[in-house]
Amino acid sequence: MPDILNFLLRKDLSFEIPDPSVDNVEKNFESRRGPMPPVSLLEYVESIRRHSLDRTSPQHDRAASSGSSALPRHVSVGMGVKKAHEVSNLARYVDNLSSELSSKYSCQISHMVDFGSGQNYLGRALASPPYNKKVIALESKQLNIDGAKGMDVTAKLAKKEIMMRNKKQHRSELYGKHYTEKAAKTTPDNPSTSSYNQLPSRLEKCSMDQQSSIQYIETIIHDGNLSSMLTQVNTFRSPSTPDPSISSPLNLMVISLHSCGNLLHHGLRSLILNPTVRAVALVGCCYNLLTERLPALPGSPSSKLRAPNARLTETSSACDPHGFPMSNRFLKYKKAGREGIRFNITARMMAVQAPRNWTEEDCNSFFTRHFYRALFQRVLLDKGVIDSSNQTSGSGNINENEGTASGKQQKTKESIILGSLRKPAYASFLSYVRAAIAKLSASPSQSALVTQHLADLTDEEILSYEK
């Protein structure tokens, strides 16, 4: 698999053609790179590379990252070093993209719409100098919105709330009747304080500017349609239009830093579902949280090595019309009497990755780990530690089910939870199996089962699986 990725992503497929004859072309290619692949495959790879998005940052952006582009201290409040680096780079990229849209296409972006704003680190950076953007922060949790508003005050993007309380009434509510009676005896009547005594015990007023550079909207994003959200957006007047009745048109750019799961493709779809959305700038993450569009099918014993996870079960059985697969061709593909292509979680996570971000070393390490894991699973299956059933109950145990390794109906065995191993374990498949057996044998709940079935497993037998 690493060799295939190297061929698809990195290998230089260009070659000189000294003679138009096919034989010379093949000989020239073979002398430099080995056997020549089919011409149709070369054309396919070249087409994919030609249409791939440019993932390199402009040189001036990288230079700016070490200069004055660092976020001011009052704006980077709450951010770690990694978060501040990500926010500063994405904010600068978004500003450059906005300027390019304005200069090349005469499209002046009016608002930045942050999908899943969280603590609004990115939006706060864009709303602050030198960018001074209007930001609409969409967030599903009010607790995050409250925390973000507090940091907006620190960043000098919002005014501090004005607290006006009747202290006596407030304290009486806190400390009870005893405090009220004591206060009544010690405080003389004074007409000048009558208006003060009428103040409520709780927050009376919060000074908030309706034309603030950041507007928070508590909402759960179910798809890319923003029509319901747009009705809540505060319009603002352009400096060049003094007439209060004239508002600037909405030209939105959807942005997101670490948009989890479905948020990423909801953001992409917003570009075609909303005429007011002119551009998107998104950085996705947590691809394991993508929901499934098709109902789940009884699968392979892949879950036997995975700990029960309620969220994983929920996303894989969501039947979400906006979930995976988004391609109609995948959705309607028919094979062996079944319609639609379904991936397990590992395959689905890989399908939505950006392989060009993978280094050759990372690729080799990643595929080695997964190859060893899959091969070890085959060893467990052959030795009877697990069976081929994949039907689990809510508690994580395995129910009775037909389709076991022997083909007979029997109660399936409990899930085997392996977890991670130390780096030296991946030096070879033999060392991986021995490290995995040692770890499973140390588990009180799994040691008896592993010892019973794998005690007589020899090195030669292990190496035969790898061959």
Side-chain angles (χ1 to χ4, degrees), residues 290-294 315-320 323-325 343 348:
L290 284 174
T291 56
E292 288 285 348
R293 187 173 180 179
L294 298 170
T315 55
S316 63
S317 58
C319 296
D320 184 356
F324 178 89
F343 287 166
R348 193 171 66 251

Side-chain angles (χ1 to χ4, degrees), residues 62-90:
R62 291 197 295 269
S65 63
S66 60
S68 60
S69 63
L71 298 174
R73 187 179 183 88
H74 64 280
V75 175
S76 62
V77 59
M79 301 186 200
V81 175
K82 177 176 179 290
K83 177 64 70 176
H85 172 78
E86 294 171 339
V87 169
S88 62
N89 279 276
L90 185 55

Side-chain angles (χ1 to χ4, degrees), residues 196-214:
Y196 172 79
N197 291 333
Q198 298 301 317
L199 291 175
S201 61
R202 301 186 183 277
L203 178 66
E204 169 68 16
K205 182 180 179 181
C206 175
S207 177
M208 295 297 292
D209 184 2
Q210 293 300 318
Q211 296 299 325
S212 174
S213 58
I214 301 179

